[in-house]
Amino acid sequence: SYNYWWVTSVAMGLMVGILTRHWFFNPDLYGRQQESRKPMPDRHRQWAYSLPYFNHRMRNLSGKYRWCMIDNEPDWADFHPIGYRPNRKAIHRRPWMWCFTVPRYAIEDPLYTSVTHENMNRIYEEIGYSKKPYYLQSEEDEA
């Protein structure tokens, strides 16, 4: 009967993991009283942010077009310093069907290089607002 104990333990562990995932990341579940009376525009905003939770293929397809959708620092999540995942790269063109507010190619956008995450960090470091991350510091920066 020990094999039934193991099966039950694994099933309970999976149940706790799945329910915890839904509780924390599914926007249709509300644990607080104030969230049960949210106006509809806020719910639409929540549902829009939850699309990658429900559809991983959509996340992978839309992630390369961040430069078209995000005005300030669209590449903030592209570089991974520890290397758990490959560094991401934006696609060179805009989406073909619905996004006409940006130039056709990223290289044609005159403000793209000035609003990148790398450029903003450089500006903040020059004015003394922030320091370089520890993995980019040299011996001269530490002094």
Side-chain angles (χ1 to χ4, degrees):
S1 87
Y2 284 111
N3 53 356
Y4 292 115
W5 279 98
W6 284 109
V7 168
T8 304
S9 299
V10 168
M12 294 294 280
L14 289 172
M15 177 209 52
V16 167
I18 290 168
L19 290 178
T20 304
R21 178 176 178 249
H22 277 291
W23 182 260
F24 287 117
F25 302 112
N26 189 345
D28 291 332
L29 295 178
Y30 297 106
R32 295 182 291 185
Q33 188 65 24
Q34 70 204 29
E35 301 223 348
S36 63
R37 291 188 212 83
K38 244 183 205 179
M40 206 46 144
D42 287 339
R43 290 183 187 229
H44 280 295
R45 177 188 51 82
Q46 266 190 327
W47 294 333
Y49 284 127
S50 70
L51 281 175
Y53 170 79
F54 292 116
N55 192 338
H56 301 293
R57 184 164 184 250
M58 182 183 287
R59 178 183 59 212
N60 291 334
L61 287 173
S62 64
K64 58 188 172 185
Y65 296 112
R66 279 193 194 101
W67 73 272
C68 303
M69 312 296 173
I70 303 173
D71 293 332
N72 191 19
E73 301 185 37
D75 58 339
W76 66 274
D78 290 350
F79 175 70
H80 197 279
I82 301 175
Y84 287 155
R85 59 165 173 75
N87 291 333
R88 297 181 179 132
K89 183 94 173 114
I91 197 164
H92 66 283
R93 60 179 170 81
R94 70 177 176 214
W96 65 275
M97 195 168 162
W98 70 87
C99 188
F100 298 109
T101 59
V102 294
R104 186 170 183 180
Y105 299 104
I107 199 164
E108 294 176 349
D109 190 357
L111 295 177
Y112 181 72
T113 55
S114 61
V115 296
T116 59
H117 185 65
E118 180 182 350
N119 186 48
M120 291 301 210
N121 284 341
R122 184 185 56 77
I123 291 171
Y124 289 149
E125 290 161 12
E126 282 179 2
I127 63 173
Y129 185 74
S130 67
K131 294 182 182 178
K132 281 187 181 179
Y134 68 92
Y135 50 86
L136 293 177
Q137 286 183 355
S138 63
E139 294 176 4
E140 298 137 5
D141 294 330
E142 292 175 2

